Structures are given as C-alpha cells and as structure tokens.
Amino acid sequence: MPSATVITGLRVETLVPLEINLSGKLALVTAASRGIGFGVARVLARAGADLVINARDPEALRRAREAIREETGRHVEVAPGDLTRREDLERIAAVAREVGGPHIFFFSTGGPRPGRFLDLGMEDWDYAYRLLLYPAVYLTRELLPAMIERRWGRIIYLASLAIKEPMPNLALSNVVRIGIAGLVRTLAREVGSYGVTVNGILPGIIHTSRVEELARDIQAREGVSYEEALSRLSSGIPAGRLGRPEEVGYLVAFLASDYASYINGAMIPVDGGRQVSVF
Ligand code: NAD
C-alpha cells in the first residue's frame, strides 16, 4: 500500500490512503427493500460487510438481496417481518443471532401517515409509536448484550431532520421521532465504555418513494401539480437537489467503521445544508 512520510514539527507520521473496510462485520439493516434502508445496505456491503436485511414484503426483500449480492458478492440473509409486530421482531432478532449476531445495527422503518395534528386520531399516535420507536427499542434490547460482550458495536438509528425543525403536515414524525434522540443520548452514555457507539442520522429530503408519497399528499391537499409539490419539498436546500439514499449510506459506513470510534451520541444531519437553526 503506498504511503507518504510527513514531518509535522517533531513528529513523523506515516499517512496511508483512507479506506472504509467493514469485512468481517455483520450488519442488520431494517426496512431495507427500497429507499434509504436499501441504499444503506448496498453501501455497507460495498464496504465489505455481510448483511441481514429486513422489510415486510418477502418478495421485494429477495429482490433487494439479489441486487446487493450481484453487485458486491457479499453474504446477504433475509429476515422478512413487520417492525410494528412483536412476533415478527422476535423472528428478525433470531435470524440476526443465528448468523452470528450483528456488529452493526442500522435502524430504519416505514414512514408514518402524513397529517396535521387535528387530522390524526389516537390510533395514528399508537401506530406511530409502534412503527418509529418501539422496534428500535425492542431490537436494541435483543442485540446490545452481544455487542457489549464483544466489546465492539455500532448502533445507528435513522430519525429525521423534522425533530430539529418540525416539518409541515408531518406531526407524527415531528413528535414521536424525538424519542430516538433520547435513546441515542441515553445509550451512548450507558454503553460507550464497552466499545459500543450509538448515533442518529437526520435525513433532510432524500429522493425515495416516501418523498413521492409526500409530494402526492401535498398535490391532493393543496391542488397543485405533482411537479410543483416536489419542487416545494426541495425548496430551501442549498445543495439545490434532493439527496440520494447512498449519501446516507456513506455516513453510516463511516460511523460503522473504526474511524468513528470517538463519535458517540451524535445526531448528524444529511440534508444538503437544509437545516436553518444553528443547533
Ligand atoms: P421508502 O418508502 O422508500 O422505504 C421504506 C422501507 O420501509 C421499505 O423497504 C418498506 O418495505 C419498509 N417498511 C415500511 N413499513 C415497514 C414495517 N412496518 N416493517 C418493516 N419494514 C417496513 O421510505 P424511505 O424514504 O427510505 O424512508 C425510510 C424512513 O426514513 C421512514 O421512516 C421515513 O419516514 C424516514 N425519513 C425519510 C426521509 C426522506 O426524505 N426520504 C426523510 C426523513 C425521514
């Protein structure tokens, strides 16, 4: 491997090219048949990780597995299941344990129903908790002890920029996902001394079918064209475009690597500069 010697003051450092190498690591990625979860799974496999991927639809999940295997040659196991159902979560955790217990856990999930506060019933709030927070807690409880025992682990939860800057018409996401931030900080403090890091990612607007669904919702509510609805969603992004799922994946791969061993308890935006507030 090429190297260069650089003299900085009295210290001599040998610099080698940086490369994220996750070979020998197993990652569980939930909600991974498409969208952000799929993009993250692809990038982790490209970095050398083997995978267990989850989503509700077994057929879509198998297609995702074939695409990732073909591209990367990595081992990919499937664990179909609905993240809102406890019995399915038990099965997902069992599959992950059977193949060796994940070193890396990336949590994504489905999107909650769009709506303003008074559009939503209590059943929507119950379901949002079951979808956005409950499976993150359940799977973490199942997977964390092995990470602690191994003295190495990476937990990365997907939340949303909406927890810093509430988004119009997404009351459930704005409110319920804040629990993920509490989970990140709580766990980072409790397990950081065991070589386990716990971080969160706050996507802005990433071009997936979820964003297309949100655009259709704006179109129906506000009587504007689909193109106008999509351009409203992307307005105010300094990068001038929507993000790509893989751009979340690159951050996940970095957080999952040893380069990020001193980053713990962080909530990091991937938003093309969309966040307006300072903190
Ligand atoms: P997507 O619709 O493209 O993909 C969602 C994935 O989740 C699919 O694989 C689907 O099968 C799976 N899924 C849905 N419900 C599930 C369930 N109950 N159990 C198991 N799997 C389930 O969506 P996306 O854009 O990739 O969004 C992923 C998450 O990120 C969502 O919670 C979304 O609200 C959130 N988010 C997305 C954006 C964005 O801009 N795309 C921004 C912030 C937050």
Side-chain angles (χ1 to χ4, degrees):
M1 187 177 288
S3 67
T5 301
V6 175
I7 298 177
T8 51
L10 292 177
R11 281 182 62 213
V12 177
E13 295 173 359
T14 299
L15 302 181
V16 292
L18 292 184
E19 184 185 301
I20 293 178
N21 181 354
L22 300 177
S23 53
K25 298 286 194 286
L26 176 72
L28 170 64
V29 180
T30 55
S33 65
R34 59 169 197 263
I36 296 175
F38 178 69
V40 167
R42 268 186 75 203
V43 172
L44 291 177
R46 280 168 56 195
D50 292 325
L51 301 175
V52 177
I53 56 173
N54 148 267
R56 270 177 312 188
D57 175 358
E59 203 35 57
L61 197 56
R62 273 191 281 277
R63 282 197 299 273
R65 170 172 66 182
E66 290 322 306
I68 295 171
R69 270 185 180 165
E70 206 168 292
E71 182 186 2
T72 66
R74 302 314 308 174
H75 184 81
V76 186
E77 203 64 54
V78 291
D82 184 333
L83 292 167
T84 64
R85 294 163 58 99
R86 187 181 174 131
E87 57 275 28
D88 290 15
L89 289 169
E90 274 167 23
R91 268 193 286 119
I92 296 164
V95 172
R97 272 196 301 266
E98 269 160 34
V99 292
H103 306 80
I104 301 159
F105 171 35
F106 176 76
F107 174 76
S108 182
T109 183
R113 209 188 126 191
R116 293 157 62 92
F117 183 80
L118 286 178
D119 301 332
L120 302 161
M122 285 316 295
E123 66 287 358
D124 295 315
W125 289 94
D126 287 343
Y127 188 75
Y129 163 71
R130 296 292 295 196
L131 181 68
L132 302 178
L133 199 52
Y134 176 81
V137 171
Y138 185 96
L139 289 172
T140 302
R141 280 173 50 84
E142 292 291 314
L143 306 176
L144 189 54
M147 292 183 184
I148 289 174
E149 201 169 306
R150 197 185 264 140
R151 292 290 193 272
W152 199 98
R154 295 286 187 268
I155 299 177
I156 301 152
Y157 300 111
L158 191 82
S160 170
L161 191 64
I163 72 169
K164 287 198 166 213
E165 296 183 351
M167 292 196 189
N169 206 36
L170 282 177
L172 294 170
S173 191
N174 296 341
V175 176
V176 180
R177 286 189 207 269
I178 286 179
I180 292 286
L183 188 60
V184 164
R185 285 289 163 88
T186 301
L187 287 174
R189 296 195 65 81
E190 289 189 10
V191 301
S193 61
Y194 298 102
V196 179
T197 66
V198 186
N199 293 291
I201 295 185
L202 308 175
I205 312 277
I206 308 297
H207 199 157
T208 65
S209 52
R210 163 75 175 165
V211 164
E212 289 168 6
E213 177 198 335
L214 295 179
R216 279 193 295 275
D217 188 70
I218 295 172
Q219 182 186 12
R221 264 167 205 278
E222 304 189 19
V224 296
S225 69
Y226 178 75
E227 289 67 32
E228 167 61 19
L230 207 55
S231 101
R232 281 192 195 179
L233 281 170
S234 50
S235 73
I237 302 177
R241 63 173 176 84
L242 302 179
R244 293 189 295 274
E246 285 69 24
E247 291 176 304
V248 178
Y250 301 135
L251 175 59
V252 175
F254 170 70
L255 290 173
S257 74
D258 283 325
Y259 296 124
S261 53
Y262 205 58
I263 300 175
N264 194 12
M267 299 294 290
I268 306 176
V270 178
D271 67 351
R274 187 175 193 269
Q275 183 182 332
V276 177
S277 55
V278 175
F279 298 110

